[in-house]
């Protein structure tokens, strides 16, 4: 199974461009140009890219509809598929070309939308060299460290690993199987998660299997070895396409739904796609995600507007990808209003000095010291109790003070 089972790559790109074109057609007068550099075709994650575009478009719309909050400013979006030439060259070179076009030819004031860890470092280096404020939407542990132009309102891999380990310890899980892709993301996940799990759980036993992401057609061999290990929990560190291969092979090898699975990034939040590709074997999954829901008491008015508008427009509550891009666009618009300018240098100065309204309250970045301009949201471990649950039905199971429901072992889940 692949993401292409749901929609061809061109479907994601076409829908994303249509959204951007529709927004830009509503603009009157001058507007701050912001680049959206994100994957819209394979071998990238076009589903994530389309979600990023949804969030960016709704962010730009919110700015237009609330002129008093942004000194009357508007945002014009320029969309670039960072996988445009990935079929003939490396993913990172394709992303670099897209970044150069946005910055040098389109002369954008800032860039948002970077999703893949494989492409982010080269984009980050270009942001530094070209002096353009850039927001990333992924969990790279160190990419903001020591960089002046990089900003992030999302959680890193290092932020999520202690959450996962604490929950595993609370369940008494002592045998952990980790299946990881050989990409930057997969290896960073596996390395960080295993290190934190070993520090957290005395006597932990670990089985780890790495696989080649590109060209793999099934993962039965490593999952069969994992089944022989008899783990208490399966940690899925697959990425685009292979995250569902892990599920499918684990089902064939008898691991799922016999034992629980922890996903390392929030792909289960794409609930329609998730259940179509994972099937009943995806029941009982847990995953780390931003503490965001329509009924969360900490949600601000801008967050409620986003949640309800996304549901009205797209028929579901937003996944993290969309939430991040929405947040970053509205932060940039506030920075431009604060600076009285949309020049790159003015935006950068305002981002470092200002405080910005977001769905979770005020956010500040400060100078690029320590871990850099990284302001992580509160995160929680989410859980689908039943087959077919939508994202708004997911419950928080960890940490205990945030829990909204109890963990249900996959063997006890209900099929509708």
């Amino acid at each position: 199974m692949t993401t292409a089972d749901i929609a061809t790559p061109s479907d994601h790109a076409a829908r994303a461009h249509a959204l951007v074109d529709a927004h830009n057609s509503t603009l009157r007068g001058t507007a701050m140009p912001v680049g959206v550099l994100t994957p819209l075709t394979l071998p990238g994650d076009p589903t994530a890219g389309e979600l990023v575009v949804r969030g960016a478009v709704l962010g730009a719309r919110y700015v237009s509809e609330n002129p008093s909050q942004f000194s009357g400013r508007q945002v014009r979006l320029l969309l670039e598929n960072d996988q445009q030439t990935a079929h003939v060259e490396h993913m990172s070179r394709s992303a670099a070309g897209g970044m150069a076009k946005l910055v040098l030819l389109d002369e954008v004031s800032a860039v948002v939308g970077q999703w893949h860890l494989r492409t982010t470092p080269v984009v980050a280096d270009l942001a530094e060299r070209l002096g353009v404020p850039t927001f990333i939407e992924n969990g790279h542990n160190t990419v903001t460290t020591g960089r002046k132009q990089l900003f992030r309102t999302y959680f890193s891999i290092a932020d999520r690993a202690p959450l996962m380990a604490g929950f595993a310890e609370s369940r008494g899980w002592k045998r952990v199987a980790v299946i990881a892709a050989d990409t930057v993301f997969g290896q960073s996940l596996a390395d960080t998660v295993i290190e934190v799990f070993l520090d957290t759980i005395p006597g932990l036993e670990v089985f780890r299997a790495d696989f080649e992401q590109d060209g793999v057609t099934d993962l039965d061999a490593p999952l069969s070895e994992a089944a022989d290990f008899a783990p208490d929990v399966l940690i899925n560190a697959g990425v685009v396409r292979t995250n569902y291969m892990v599920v499918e092979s684990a089902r064939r090898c008898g691991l799922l739904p016999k034992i629980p699975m922890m996903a390392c990034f929030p792909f289960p939040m794409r609930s329609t796609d998730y259940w179509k590709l994972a099937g009943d074997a995806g029941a009982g999954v847990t995953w780390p995600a931003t503490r965001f829901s329509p009924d969360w008491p900490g949600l601000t008015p801008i967050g409620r507007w986003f949640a309800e508008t996304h549901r009205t427009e797209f028929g579901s509550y937003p996944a993290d990808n969309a939430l991040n891009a929405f947040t970053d666009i509205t932060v940039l618009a506030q920075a431009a209003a604060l600076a009285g300018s949309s020049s790159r240098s003015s935006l950068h100065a305002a981002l470092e000095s200002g405080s910005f309204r977001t769905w979770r309250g005020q956010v500040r970045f400060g100078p690029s010291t320590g871990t850099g301009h990284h302001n992580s949201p509160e995160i929680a471990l989410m859980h689908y109790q039943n087959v077919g649950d939508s994202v708004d039905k997911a419950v928080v199971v960890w940490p205990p003070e945030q829990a909204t429901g109890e963990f249900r072992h996959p063997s006890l889940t209900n099929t509708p």
Side-chain angles (χ1 to χ4, degrees), residues 290-305:
T290 302
R291 182 73 167 95
F292 174 86
S293 69
D295 57 356
W296 180 50
L299 202 61
T300 65
I302 189 173
R304 285 195 294 273
W305 181 95

Side-chain angles (χ1 to χ4, degrees), residues 13-346:
R15 286 195 296 264
H17 280 284
L19 286 170
V20 169
D21 291 345
H23 165 73
N24 288 343
S25 70
T26 68
L27 301 177
R28 299 293 180 268
T30 60
M32 176 173 65
V34 175
V36 183
L37 182 65
T38 204
L40 295 175
T41 52
L42 299 172
D45 185 347
T47 302
E50 185 179 348
L51 292 171
V52 165
V53 172
R54 287 182 183 179
V57 166
L58 291 186
R61 185 191 304 176
Y62 183 85
V63 173
S64 295
E65 292 182 1
N66 295 273
S68 63
Q69 297 183 28
F70 303 94
S71 300
R73 294 183 177 274
Q74 300 179 97
V75 174
R76 178 165 56 92
L77 299 174
L78 292 97
L79 178 59
E80 195 70 23
N81 174 17
D82 69 12
Q83 299 302 291
Q84 187 67 40
T85 60
H87 61 291
V88 295
E89 59 183 349
H90 193 274
M91 288 172 65
S92 62
R93 290 182 65 86
S94 178
M99 182 70 167
K101 177 182 178 296
L102 287 170
V103 177
L104 299 176
L105 297 181
D106 298 329
E107 298 183 330
V108 298
S109 299
V111 175
V112 303
Q114 266 303 276
W115 174 240
H116 290 296
L117 270 71
R118 280 187 279 183
T119 62
T120 293
V122 67
V123 170
D125 288 344
L126 282 173
E128 294 295 292
R129 289 165 56 188
L130 300 174
V132 58
T134 299
F135 280 78
I136 61 170
E137 323 294 345
N138 65 43
H140 195 297
N141 278 343
T142 60
V143 72
T144 57
T145 303
R147 285 191 168 99
K148 181 179 180 181
Q149 299 293 344
L150 264 285
F151 297 84
R152 176 166 55 190
T153 58
Y154 189 50
F155 56 87
S156 70
I157 292 171
D159 293 329
R160 71 191 77 176
L163 188 77
M164 297 169 66
F167 180 69
E169 181 187 33
S170 76
R171 303 301 305 179
W173 295 336
K174 294 282 191 176
R175 296 174 66 83
V176 175
V178 181
I179 309 298
D182 66 350
T183 65
V184 178
F185 183 64
Q187 295 299 289
S188 296
L189 275 171
D191 292 346
T192 304
V193 165
I194 289 173
E195 179 182 358
V196 175
F197 268 56
L198 287 170
D199 287 343
T200 304
I201 304 174
L204 183 75
E205 296 181 67
V206 178
F207 169 86
R208 174 174 176 172
D210 297 341
F211 60 86
E212 294 184 5
Q213 168 73 13
D214 296 332
V216 67
T217 57
D218 74 66
L219 295 172
D220 287 2
L223 268 301
S224 292
E225 293 182 47
D228 292 340
F229 175 72
D232 297 320
V233 61
L234 172 65
I235 296 181
N236 184 343
V239 292
V240 182
R241 189 177 65 92
T242 59
N243 48 5
Y244 289 107
M245 283 188 181
V246 171
V247 176
E248 182 65 17
S249 288
R251 181 193 62 77
R252 283 197 294 264
C253 297
L255 280 173
L256 297 179
K258 180 181 178 181
I259 65 168
M261 178 178 70
M262 298 181 81
C264 294
F265 75 99
F267 71 90
M269 293 184 76
R270 309 168 188 175
S271 53
T272 302
D273 292 359
Y274 179 75
W275 292 116
K276 182 171 182 178
L277 294 178
D280 293 357
V285 64
T286 57
W287 71 93
T290 302
R291 182 73 167 95
F292 174 86
S293 69
D295 57 356
W296 180 50
L299 202 61
T300 65
I302 189 173
R304 285 195 294 273
W305 181 95
F306 176 57
E308 293 304 324
T309 304
H310 191 283
R311 186 175 191 181
T312 299
E313 294 274 326
F314 304 111
S316 66
Y317 287 114
D320 280 3
N321 318 71
L323 176 63
N324 301 337
F326 173 84
T327 301
D328 298 343
I329 291 292
T330 54
V331 165
L332 281 167
Q334 291 174 70
L338 176 64
S341 168
S342 58
S343 74
R344 296 167 188 170
S345 59
S346 297

